[in-house]
Amino acid sequence: MVDRADRFIEVSLEKRGVSCTAKLLDERAPITCEAVWNALPLGGDVYHAKYARNEIYALLPPFAPEEPPLENPTITPIPGDLCYFTFTDTQLGTTSYGYETDAKHQGRRQVVDLALFYERNNLLINGDAGWVPGIVWGSVVDGLDRMADACQDLWRAGALGETLSFRRA
């Protein structure tokens, strides 16, 4: 693999004016990192996870030329992990997930979930589907404390009108 300089991105909650900086894990998830990096900037409506616990995420249209393989997988993300998931429309279609009928991802055959885990004790298991491994492609290196506070506010005050964005730092 080609040796390259470290790459960093900024992850932001736009309305709350809070961001953190993450390092791409090129050595552990090179295909996923390249796909995300080439697609930046990315962003969308933010959701707070119902099942995983301490996770916020945006659901986006597919952007990679080919879906990345399950490289650097986890089912127990730690604080600061950025994870990549791919879901089909039927996987997210059940009403138990609580997505509104006019959510931007509705009607897409495939959806990419870019997530930030901001606190401990996460377990990627879903009552309908079982284990849901994600690709760890980045790690927050600065600002996780501020972002975690904003994520807690998001959980308590609500996510409507908030955008989660990813851009090159």
Side-chain angles (χ1 to χ4, degrees):
M1 184 168 162
V2 176
D3 188 27
R4 69 171 74 212
D6 290 339
R7 298 190 285 181
F8 296 89
I9 64 167
E10 181 182 86
V11 181
S12 303
L13 288 169
E14 300 292 333
K15 184 176 168 184
R16 284 169 172 78
V18 178
S19 63
C20 59
T21 303
K23 178 182 179 284
L24 271 62
L25 301 177
D26 283 301
E27 69 283 356
R28 295 185 182 174
I31 298 168
T32 307
C33 288
E34 194 65 18
V36 172
W37 185 258
N38 289 337
L40 293 174
L42 293 165
D45 293 342
V46 69
Y47 294 93
H48 196 289
K50 291 173 81 174
Y51 295 104
R53 195 158 173 149
N54 299 299
E55 171 195 2
I56 62 169
Y57 61 97
L59 298 172
L60 308 168
F63 51 80
E66 187 174 310
E67 275 307 299
L70 190 58
E71 53 184 1
N72 199 31
T74 190
I75 57 165
T76 55
I78 61 172
D81 277 353
L82 297 179
C83 289
Y84 180 109
F85 304 88
T86 304
F87 298 105
T88 65
D89 56 349
T90 57
Q91 288 173 302
L92 297 181
T94 180
T95 57
S96 66
Y97 295 141
Y99 297 118
E100 60 277 10
T101 56
D102 61 343
K104 293 176 184 168
H105 72 275
Q106 298 290 13
R108 293 185 191 144
R109 293 183 59 84
Q110 192 173 35
V111 177
V112 171
D113 171 334
L114 290 185
L116 164 68
F117 291 84
Y118 64 89
E119 187 50 80
R120 301 179 40 179
N121 299 323
N122 302 295
L123 185 60
L124 300 179
I125 189 166
N126 176 295
D128 297 330
W131 299 110
V132 183
I135 300 168
V136 182
W137 59 275
S139 180
V140 174
V141 295
D142 182 56
L144 184 59
D145 53 345
R146 295 183 307 275
M147 185 60 83
D149 288 344
C151 292
Q152 282 295 333
D153 180 64
L154 186 93
W155 175 248
R156 304 258 311 141
L160 286 179
E162 182 62 89
T163 300
L164 177 62
S165 66
F166 303 83
R167 66 181 56 87
R168 293 179 185 188

